Amino acid sequence: MLQLSSIAPLLDRFMPNPDLQIRHKIVVRAPAALVLETARTFDLRSTPLVRAIFWLRARILDAKAAAPDWSLGFVQVMLRMGWGVLAEEPNRWFVAGTVCRPWMADVVMTPILPAQFAAYAEPDQVKIIWTLEAEPLGEARSRFATETRVAGTDGQAQAKFRRYWRRFGIGMAMTRWLLLPAIRCKAERRWRAEAAVSSDDGS
């Protein structure tokens, strides 16, 4: 089993030299398996500011695609959008990736097989990977983390992504700053509710 402290080598296999690398983490008073499941099934619509950030991007770029049904859960929606599973360890971590042109109004995402992801080099494309990670710190305490890596396949794509990031990067970063506490809050509520039920059953 891969330890979360060594997840970097796993990500390096898919993207060893990213143009952009962002990592966020937070401690949660709930078991790791429950935290990861909460993150996987999280409904982005439950965080109004995150909703507003996505709406603003679509408005600025004049996107035409319909908004996804986030009630289906974060991971399921992302897979439907064109992200592919690169690696996962049940109850511990999940790694997804895609290739796309993020500067487009309506982004078309293409999943790439894990064995082909690192070598993928079609021009004018950006490769992106992200993780959901839950590291046990005790019986009812864990560290939740997410990392995003981005790499352009050529100089043209890198330049386009830099321009895009200067425009929208703060919004993308804010979604993570907002989502981690929201996921923590929901996971801790779920754990307290489960603990209360177990206590009642045992009384």
Side-chain angles (χ1 to χ4, degrees), residues 63-117:
K64 305 300 184 186
D69 181 4
W70 291 107
S71 66
L72 298 173
F74 179 75
V75 167
Q76 185 173 346
V77 171
M78 296 297 268
L79 295 179
R80 287 188 175 194
M81 290 171 63
W83 295 85
V85 180
L86 296 180
E88 63 180 316
E89 176 70 40
N91 301 323
R92 295 295 298 278
W93 47 266
F94 177 88
V95 183
T98 195
V99 298
C100 62
R101 296 183 176 97
W103 50 84
M104 303 295 291
D106 295 303
V107 181
V108 177
M109 298 180 176
T110 304
I112 303 298
L113 292 174
Q116 301 172 4
F117 195 89

Side-chain angles (χ1 to χ4, degrees), residues 22 24 53-54 57 164-165 168-177:
I22 303 175
H24 296 88
I53 289 168
F54 280 94
R57 179 201 179 276
Y164 172 81
W165 189 254
F168 296 102
I170 185 62
M172 300 300 101
M174 283 181 65
T175 60
R176 289 154 181 80
W177 298 334

Side-chain angles (χ1 to χ4, degrees), residues 31-201:
L34 185 147
V35 172
L36 187 63
E37 177 61 18
T38 300
R40 289 179 63 110
T41 59
F42 192 77
D43 181 352
L44 264 68
R45 298 178 309 174
S46 65
T47 308
L49 282 176
V50 172
R51 252 192 352 256
I53 289 168
F54 280 94
W55 176 86
L56 185 61
R57 179 201 179 276
R59 187 69 177 269
I60 292 172
L61 293 178
D62 194 27
K64 305 300 184 186
D69 181 4
W70 291 107
S71 66
L72 298 173
F74 179 75
V75 167
Q76 185 173 346
V77 171
M78 296 297 268
L79 295 179
R80 287 188 175 194
M81 290 171 63
W83 295 85
V85 180
L86 296 180
E88 63 180 316
E89 176 70 40
N91 301 323
R92 295 295 298 278
W93 47 266
F94 177 88
V95 183
T98 195
V99 298
C100 62
R101 296 183 176 97
W103 50 84
M104 303 295 291
D106 295 303
V107 181
V108 177
M109 298 180 176
T110 304
I112 303 298
L113 292 174
Q116 301 172 4
F117 195 89
Y120 181 90
E122 290 296 319
D124 198 31
Q125 296 282 344
V126 170
K127 299 191 289 186
I128 309 174
I129 61 176
W130 53 261
T131 71
L132 301 175
E133 310 165 29
E135 178 182 8
L137 300 177
E139 182 179 351
R141 191 166 177 266
S142 57
R143 180 181 292 109
F144 176 66
T146 180
E147 182 167 326
T148 302
R149 295 188 181 190
V150 181
T153 55
D154 57 16
Q156 181 180 17
Q158 290 170 335
K160 289 180 179 179
F161 180 76
R162 283 195 298 269
R163 290 194 294 271
Y164 172 81
W165 189 254
R166 283 196 295 269
R167 243 185 128 183
F168 296 102
I170 185 62
M172 300 300 101
M174 283 181 65
T175 60
R176 289 154 181 80
W177 298 334
L178 294 165
L179 285 176
L180 265 68
I183 290 170
R184 175 178 64 183
C185 184
K186 184 173 182 180
E188 290 180 348
R189 283 201 309 266
R190 287 182 60 185
W191 176 240
R192 287 195 298 269
E194 290 184 13
V197 170
S198 298
S199 177
D200 290 342
D201 289 344

